[in-house]
Amino acid sequence: MNPLQTTYLREQAERVRERLGNPTPTVAAVLGSGWGAALDDWRIEQTLAYESIPVLGSSAVKGHAGKLHLADADSHTCLIFQGRRHWYGCTAWDPIIFPVYLAHCLGVRTILLTNAAGGIRDDLDPGDLMVIDDHINAMGANPLRGPHQPDWGPRFPDLTRLYTPALQGQLMHAAATVDVVLKQGTYLAVSGPSYETPAEVRAYATMGAAAVGMSTVPEAIVAGALGMRVAGLSCITNRAAATGNEALSHDEVIAITAAATPRMRAVVGAFIRDLDTPAREEK
Ligand code: HPA
């Protein structure tokens, strides 16, 4: 992060705020691969294409729509990022972390990050949903690196309880109310775009990773540094490093998330509907 970037992102955030008519959302959600169906339950008030927001630009990855919505989800006005930018496809952090920065600028203090991931732990099968209880950053990079910018929180942010325990509980509770089983585990992020080798997956298992993916961790780090409450959900789309004869493919990832759609939609809907957003910034 450097001062010019910070100034640019602040200007971009102000521009989006104006285009959305100065809303005051209480919660934000980043809907990763396959999670977009969660939108079907909410009244969409406004939509901006990522292409129309210079810092976000366009993505060519299948399953990664790029739309920013302002939605009315019963008791909450929600800022929804349908699709995200990934480190493997970018030359800078700006498009990846802008959604979190924008949400924070608009006063949001609670963010839900969702993704698709490969299951590493034995009990995680394709189609399972997992609450992220912690992460391992194996991307070899950190979005907060560079001269310290106070806009982005402290120089050395504490990540001890990054995935807010109360929100993990609320996710489990929300899932129970809609009869969906949620597993819980640690998400490990790699930079991608290549999938992992079997040796890497064995190594990650010994490190304590339950699932592996190519996103979420940068956004969670930034949100945590900004003092936001973070919730994370993974849809397990495959066993990490294909164990069968078939090679791993992005089409498989998309097909599995399609089958899990009703459960993903039910959990996210129930979570946002019942969400407690504290008036104070308490974790
Ligand atoms: N590895 C990394 N990212 C992924 C995977 C995987 O197996 N599945 C979905 N996203």
Side-chain angles (χ1 to χ4, degrees):
M1 204 50 57
N2 68 51
L4 282 178
Q5 262 172 301
T6 300
T7 305
Y8 172 64
L9 294 178
R10 205 184 297 135
E11 284 167 5
Q12 291 288 316
E14 283 309 319
R15 216 173 280 176
V16 174
R17 184 210 297 275
E18 276 167 32
R19 289 179 67 195
L20 291 175
N22 296 312
T24 52
T26 48
V27 57
V30 178
L31 302 178
S33 299
W35 287 89
L39 284 166
D40 296 350
D41 290 331
W42 304 329
R43 200 158 53 80
I44 305 295
E45 292 176 343
Q46 278 197 75
T47 298
L48 302 181
Y50 283 5
E51 282 88 343
S52 73
I53 304 171
V55 62
L56 290 173
S58 61
S59 156
V61 180
K62 205 159 125 188
H64 291 287
K67 289 187 186 139
L68 166 59
H69 307 278
L70 194 64
D72 181 0
D74 296 327
S75 45
H76 293 285
T77 299
C78 192
L79 196 62
I80 300 168
F81 298 88
Q82 186 184 10
R84 60 155 60 81
R85 300 297 177 242
H86 294 80
W87 182 227
Y88 60 72
C90 294
T91 50
W93 284 110
D94 297 3
I96 301 154
I97 59 179
F98 181 69
V100 180
Y101 187 63
L102 174 65
H104 189 263
C105 287
L106 295 187
V108 171
R109 294 296 175 264
T110 304
I111 190 162
L112 171 67
L113 303 172
T114 63
N115 61 43
I120 293 180
R121 208 173 61 202
D122 285 347
D123 68 315
L124 288 168
D125 293 317
D128 283 350
L129 303 184
M130 182 187 93
V131 174
I132 300 176
D133 62 12
D134 205 348
H135 80 218
I136 297 171
N137 182 4
M139 290 183 130
N142 189 307
L144 296 175
R145 193 179 155 273
H148 179 230
Q149 295 297 296
D151 257 44
W152 297 86
R155 173 74 292 191
F156 301 108
D158 172 34
L159 301 185
T160 313
R161 276 176 288 279
L162 179 57
Y163 296 86
T164 310
L167 294 181
Q168 291 181 49
Q170 288 181 44
L171 279 169
M172 297 305 276
H173 177 76
T177 62
V178 291
D179 261 340
V180 171
V181 175
L182 283 189
K183 297 188 173 168
Q184 207 156 4
T186 297
Y187 174 89
L188 180 143
V190 293
S191 70
S194 53
Y195 288 113
E196 302 67 44
T197 63
E200 285 167 342
V201 172
R202 285 194 299 276
Y204 298 153
T206 65
M207 290 163 72
V212 56
M214 304 175 190
S215 69
T216 304
V217 160
E219 293 121 294
I221 290 174
V222 168
L226 290 169
M228 295 168 76
R229 305 190 314 152
V230 180
L233 275 177
S234 294
C235 176
I236 306 299
T237 51
N238 55 279
R239 292 289 303 160
T243 43
N245 292 327
E246 302 251 322
L248 257 181
S249 77
H250 186 60
D251 286 341
E252 179 188 347
V253 167
I254 291 177
I256 291 286
T257 51
T261 290
R263 283 178 295 123
M264 297 156 96
R265 177 177 165 184
V267 172
V268 174
F271 172 69
I272 302 275
R273 201 168 39 244
D274 298 339
L275 189 64
D276 273 337
T277 45
R280 290 189 300 118
E281 286 190 29
E282 61 199 15
K283 281 229 156 189

